[in-house]
Amino acid sequence: MNEPTTIEACLLEFLSKGVFSEEIRVTVDTDLVENGFDSLSLVSLLVFIERTYGLWIPQNEINETNLKNIGAMAAMVLRRLNEGASSS
Amino acid sequence: MKARLPHNGCDTLMLGFDYELRRRGFAGNSCQIVLGLKTAVAASLLEQRIADLVRLHPILASKPLRGFRPRWEPTGKKVQVRIHANAPNLMQSLFNERLDIHQGELIRFDLVGQSLVFTWAHALMDAKSAEYFLAMVGDVNVPVPETGKDWYAERGTRAGSLRARGKQAWLELHRLEKFKTALPVSLGTLRPPKSPTLIYKVVALSREDTVCARANASRLCGFLGDTSFHLAVTLVELHELQSRTERPSASYVVPIPVSLRPKGSRAPLFSNQVTMMLHQFLPAEVSTVERAVAAVKTQQNDFFRDNQIDAGITLAHFFRRLPMWFYMRMIKHELRGEICSLFFGDTAAVDSALRHFMGAAIETFAHVPAVTLPPGIGVVFHRVREQLQFTLVYAEGVLTSAEADTFSNRLRDRLLNP
């Protein structure tokens, strides 16, 4: 079962180990773009979400609000997962 | 820091391009940053500052040594700071002047009135490092980054055993093999250069036009879509340029640079921490910006899905011990003599540490990259204080001056009206 905190922890681990340097202490509230998150970081994150949750995030969900920080991103992933579950 | 830094796979690629350019009589794979300053800086102070940095980082005056342990070997050579009176074509001739890299000349500074021209051997560092290095030269308070890991070398060996790395490298070769079904032919091959001279042209958009171009990027490519948009627009214009001037190519192969430094880190400063995603686009895929955007996105997603980034790094890292003549022959082998159709770069916003230089405000900034032959043409985008710029570089004869003007004007117009 996916909980918001589980998704947050999963994204936090990926971003802090695979995208950001140790010099940046990434938390769920860290502003990602302000700290250098760019278009190719975004592609690697989208592919990670696809591998982990079997979910491809559509372009209309990729915006400043949803990518503000890990908390916002995890909420969006959870919503998409729930929408997928209720429609199937 | 360690004086004898090894060459990683990307440093070797940059040395390979340098070898290829020199072999054809060009100056080599040297890039420039040109700063327009509010006030002139004193050459003596600049010389002193550089001498201090060379003592701290002997690699700045090193020569490349090849063989089984390819590395930089310090020479102790003094870095030149030269003063020039402004003259017509001076900037273009400085761009075409060789660095004597095999005698340890990896960087050079030229002062032309209130302009500063910083030239560096691309094998020493990538463009983002060069921005930060220049900030360090211009301000003693800019901290020196920790030496840190060589991310490129680490990823080049991440697959593990020699067998596993060989398998990964083979996958990349297999992918490139498919490019042969629609071989690209670049402008540099269709029109051999008239002289071993590179010409550059910097185009700066106004703040209003930059807002418009960024809005177009966001509309067509989504959030953080600026680079994909710049690439898509450049591909469409390249296809049209080639259709106008010669004939459309069966495909366009373009390397897209990917920075390997973790976000938030500038280390290591001296070595190239960039790999290339080599993409191939068919003419139908670059007939409109919308189609080009779709093709760029699909290929980028596949690159990450299939872990092709690591495959490319492993392959390049494998080849780093080869003699240069053989190395470049291998590089060109897959595309029957071509390297690519156009060099593309997007360094995004200039490093925030580079605001002043030795107390003088920076009024203008431009990246001027070298391009090897083939293809003999390249475009690099960068953003200076919220103003988008691009630099077009081409070998003399690959484009006429009128064609270069038309190409750059159309590129700018398409950024505004895709």
Side-chain angles (χ1 to χ4, degrees):
Chain A
M1 170 111 181
N2 288 306
E3 296 288 343
T5 50
T6 320
I7 299 174
E8 280 176 1
C10 186
L11 297 181
L12 181 62
E13 187 181 3
F14 172 74
L15 289 172
S16 54
K17 288 188 179 163
V19 173
F20 288 98
S21 79
E22 290 169 0
E23 293 159 45
I24 296 187
R25 293 181 56 141
V26 186
T27 69
V28 288
D29 300 318
T30 301
D31 188 317
L32 300 175
V33 176
E34 207 167 83
N35 284 288
F37 189 84
D38 61 10
S39 59
L40 292 175
S41 321
L42 174 62
V43 181
S44 70
L45 176 69
L46 294 178
V47 170
F48 172 76
I49 292 171
E50 184 185 48
R51 277 192 193 136
T52 311
Y53 299 104
L55 178 73
W56 184 255
I57 306 294
Q59 189 166 310
N60 63 345
E61 293 278 20
I62 300 166
N63 53 44
E64 203 169 352
T65 311
N66 286 342
L67 291 179
K68 180 77 182 156
N69 53 38
I70 289 173
M73 212 181 300
M76 181 261 292
V77 171
L78 183 62
R79 176 169 51 76
R80 298 287 310 182
L81 286 170
N82 289 340
E83 282 170 7
S86 60
S87 65
S88 61
Chain B
M1 68 176 283
K2 260 170 72 179
R4 289 174 180 77
L5 281 179
H7 300 158
N8 65 32
C10 190
D11 301 335
T12 307
L13 183 67
M14 294 304 132
L15 280 172
F17 289 168
D18 186 86
Y19 166 85
E20 189 66 18
L21 279 164
R22 285 171 198 256
R23 189 178 72 80
R24 289 168 172 260
F26 288 84
N29 189 12
S30 311
C31 300
Q32 289 186 336
I33 290 177
V34 182
L35 300 182
L37 303 171
K38 194 170 172 67
T39 52
V41 297
S44 56
L45 289 178
L46 181 56
E47 269 178 351
Q48 184 56 51
R49 174 66 182 147
I50 296 163
D52 292 345
L53 283 168
V54 173
R55 267 193 296 280
L56 202 59
H57 306 283
I59 191 175
L60 290 166
S62 296
K63 59 182 178 183
L65 286 187
R66 304 294 302 158
F68 188 69
R69 286 193 306 122
R71 63 191 186 279
W72 296 107
E73 184 71 24
T75 63
K77 190 179 172 80
K78 189 171 180 282
V79 172
Q80 290 191 71
V81 176
R82 307 182 304 183
I83 303 170
H84 308 263
N86 207 348
N89 286 328
L90 174 66
M91 291 302 203
Q92 298 282 345
S93 67
L94 290 177
F95 181 47
N96 283 284
E97 200 175 330
R98 285 181 179 213
L99 285 173
D100 201 354
I101 67 166
H102 295 285
Q103 297 301 318
E105 188 188 25
L106 297 182
I107 56 172
R108 185 170 63 214
F109 290 81
D110 290 282
L111 295 171
V112 186
Q114 286 163 226
S115 296
L116 177 137
V117 182
F118 167 51
T119 308
W120 82 94
H122 203 332
L124 174 67
M125 57 185 160
D126 52 59
K128 292 309 288 181
S129 282
E131 288 177 6
Y132 191 75
F133 173 69
L134 205 49
M136 277 167 48
V137 175
D139 184 351
V140 289
N141 297 315
V142 170
V144 177
E146 294 291 317
T147 306
K149 283 184 200 176
D150 184 335
W151 302 101
Y152 194 102
E154 189 189 72
R155 286 182 74 160
T157 51
R158 191 190 276 180
S161 66
L162 188 63
R163 187 186 165 87
R165 281 182 284 146
K167 194 175 165 189
Q168 197 178 43
W170 177 253
L171 284 176
E172 178 65 1
L173 281 173
H174 182 65
R175 189 180 74 86
L176 297 179
E177 188 72 18
K178 291 180 190 160
F179 286 12
K180 283 184 185 168
T181 54
L183 274 174
V185 182
S186 72
L187 276 170
T189 298
L190 292 166
R191 292 173 162 190
K194 284 183 188 159
S195 74
T197 306
L198 292 176
I199 299 169
Y200 73 88
K201 181 178 165 63
V202 181
V203 177
L205 275 69
S206 67
R207 280 175 197 269
E208 295 73 28
D209 284 351
T210 301
V211 169
C212 174
R214 297 200 77 189
N216 288 331
S218 179
R219 179 171 58 82
L220 288 168
C221 300
F223 186 56
L224 300 174
D226 296 63
T227 301
S228 299
F229 177 62
H230 300 156
L231 173 60
V233 168
T234 305
L235 284 166
V236 171
E237 282 305 326
L238 175 68
H239 175 51
E240 295 208 349
L241 169 72
Q242 218 153 318
S243 306
R244 275 196 309 275
T245 54
E246 285 287 340
R247 56 188 156 94
S249 179
S251 73
Y252 299 94
V253 170
V254 179
I256 318 299
V258 182
S259 172
L260 299 177
R261 285 187 190 87
K263 304 303 167 198
S265 172
R266 293 179 173 106
L269 204 55
F270 304 115
S271 65
N272 286 271
Q273 298 296 319
V274 173
T275 187
M276 307 287 174
M277 294 192 288
L278 205 57
H279 290 329
Q280 184 179 43
F281 302 94
L282 301 175
E285 292 176 313
V286 293
S287 56
T288 66
V289 174
E290 287 83 356
R291 284 183 186 168
V293 166
V296 166
K297 290 204 164 221
T298 303
Q299 293 196 34
Q300 281 184 356
N301 294 344
D302 288 347
F303 231 90
F304 280 85
R305 275 195 188 109
D306 303 339
N307 206 15
Q308 285 163 1
I309 287 189
D310 278 3
I313 295 170
T314 303
L315 181 66
H317 208 60
F318 250 131
F319 285 169
R320 74 191 187 286
R321 294 191 176 101
L322 294 178
M324 276 299 148
W325 66 270
F326 187 63
Y327 179 83
M328 285 313 295
R329 198 167 284 188
M330 292 276 292
I331 297 272
K332 290 189 283 183
H333 169 75
E334 285 300 317
L335 297 178
R336 302 263 164 81
E338 296 287 357
I339 292 171
C340 62
S341 307
L342 170 133
F343 281 101
F344 173 85
D346 191 337
T347 55
V350 173
D351 198 301
S352 57
L354 188 56
R355 291 178 186 278
H356 293 82
F357 190 86
M358 304 195 94
I362 296 170
E363 296 193 318
T364 60
F365 174 103
H367 270 295
V368 187
V371 293
T372 195
L373 238 131
I377 178 169
V379 175
V380 62
F381 286 83
H382 43 285
R383 217 168 59 240
V384 187
R385 285 191 296 270
E386 294 313 310
Q387 271 187 268
L388 181 64
Q389 294 186 175
F390 63 86
T391 308
L392 166 68
V393 182
Y394 59 97
E396 187 173 38
V398 168
L399 291 181
T400 64
S401 171
E403 285 166 348
D405 287 344
T406 305
F407 177 75
S408 50
N409 288 339
R410 289 178 62 112
L411 188 54
R412 187 192 55 208
D413 291 347
R414 204 179 281 276
L415 290 164
L416 305 177
N417 298 294

